[in-house]
Amino acid sequence: MNKKTIAIILAGGKGERAGGTVPKQFIEVAGKPLIVHAIERFSLGYIDGIIVVSLEKYIDKVKRMIEKYGIKRNIDIIPGDVTRQGSSFNGVNACPRDTAFVLIHDAARPFVEEKIIRDVLDAAMKYGVAIPVIETSDTAAFEKDGFVDDIPERGKLKRIQTPQGFSYETIHRAHRSAKEEGITDVTDDCGLVKRIGGKVRMIEGSILNIKLTDRYDIEISEKIIGSIRGKETA
Ligand code: CTP
Ligand code: MG
């Protein structure tokens, strides 16, 4: 049986921090909605299928966008859940039976470079689970009652991005375990794997692969697209 690699793009959030009249995945940057940019990034020969997880009421809107922007891939669009974890589990459950690897990605990171997708997948194939990370430029602190409790060594802290790559069996087991134990709001899929004692390999992410969270991120996104195009055509 042919073993598949499936990309799951999570677009089931409401984008409350970004504000605006539609969730941030539908905001247009460089002439296209962010969700379309994200889908295009994963339209690659070695990705056998793309599943978009959407708020149920926007499924038809996503379908129309896919047609309007001429995306030729066959894309499944399925409903999300109230938490990111639930939306991710819906995506994992919607994968074809012969799925061997999944890449789970935030639609809110529409500028991921192809090299990161490839590196994450290669490392997931080798180690079972892999994530892109970047250094943190700010020092971070643990807080307690309004005071600094402790300051971890900055060099040991990494900022975690997506796409995160998993062997299908591992991520499915990690999701099932969290659900069975009533845990519903893990914000990150590799966190589910760590819960069950799994190993998570880190690869180098990119500062351009930002998660658009508030309206200021949206404002700088045209510039980010310009930088990526510059790099890719250099
Ligand atoms: N997401 C999802 N289902 C949810 C919540 C989030 O699929 N129930 C997706 C979002 O669409 C986004 C990604 O997970 O692509 C990362 O979440 P986040 O940046 O928090 O987006 P939102 O939840 O939409 O934003 P906010 O938290 O500001 O409402
Ligand atoms: Mg959120």
Side-chain angles (χ1 to χ4, degrees):
M1 206 196 300
N2 181 26
K3 293 280 193 181
K4 293 195 167 86
T5 295
I6 303 295
I8 299 170
I9 299 178
L10 297 178
K14 294 186 178 147
E16 281 170 352
R17 284 168 291 178
T21 49
V22 286
K24 58 192 176 187
Q25 53 271 28
F26 300 121
I27 292 172
E28 274 197 25
V29 174
K32 285 176 206 167
L34 295 174
I35 178 77
V36 172
H37 285 285
I39 293 169
E40 285 179 348
R41 292 270 142 193
F42 285 85
S43 299
L44 299 164
Y46 52 86
I47 298 203
D48 302 295
I50 299 177
I51 296 172
V52 174
V53 183
S54 168
L55 282 164
E56 188 141 31
K57 68 172 177 176
Y58 291 119
I59 288 182
D60 282 340
K61 189 180 175 81
V62 176
K63 269 190 198 145
R64 285 196 302 273
M65 284 180 172
I66 287 170
E67 278 167 29
K68 178 174 171 192
Y69 290 93
I71 294 170
K72 295 278 175 290
R73 300 281 305 235
N74 193 13
I75 293 169
D76 288 323
I77 309 165
I78 64 157
D81 197 359
V82 284
T83 67
R84 185 191 181 284
Q85 182 188 324
S87 292
S88 168
F89 198 17
N90 287 2
V92 167
N93 280 325
C95 287
R97 288 183 78 104
D98 55 346
T99 302
F101 292 95
V102 289
L103 293 166
I104 304 179
H105 187 63
D106 293 328
R109 294 183 193 270
F111 313 125
V112 60
E113 293 148 86
E114 211 257 325
K115 181 178 186 315
I116 298 178
I117 299 174
R118 180 77 254 179
D119 289 352
V120 166
L121 182 58
D122 284 347
M125 286 176 168
K126 190 165 174 196
Y127 298 101
V129 180
I131 60 168
V133 302
I134 55 172
E135 304 296 321
T136 171
S137 48
D138 295 318
T139 297
F142 288 108
E143 183 254 14
K144 196 175 177 194
D145 305 326
F147 288 85
V148 172
D149 189 37
D150 198 10
I151 297 190
E153 205 181 307
R154 195 179 64 196
K156 286 192 176 162
L157 289 176
K158 309 287 173 203
R159 291 163 57 192
I160 298 179
Q161 304 185 325
T162 72
Q164 301 188 350
F166 304 89
S167 88
Y168 186 76
E169 190 278 323
T170 302
I171 190 62
H172 198 251
R173 188 156 44 87
H175 264 297
R176 277 199 323 266
S177 160
K179 190 160 189 183
E180 275 161 24
E181 289 169 39
I183 293 159
T184 57
D185 211 3
V186 174
T187 54
D188 193 82
D189 300 285
C190 75
L192 296 168
V193 172
K194 285 300 292 174
R195 268 196 71 251
I196 58 167
K199 272 190 129 176
V200 178
R201 178 75 178 179
M202 292 179 175
I203 63 113
E204 196 181 338
S206 162
I207 202 156
L208 297 175
N209 183 22
I210 69 163
K211 182 158 76 72
L212 302 172
T213 303
D214 58 42
R215 68 188 174 88
Y216 301 106
D217 298 330
I218 313 272
E219 281 172 20
I220 60 169
S221 51
E222 296 268 357
K223 287 221 159 59
I224 296 174
I225 287 213
S227 299
I228 290 173
R229 288 197 179 136
K231 268 174 80 177
E232 287 181 346
T233 53

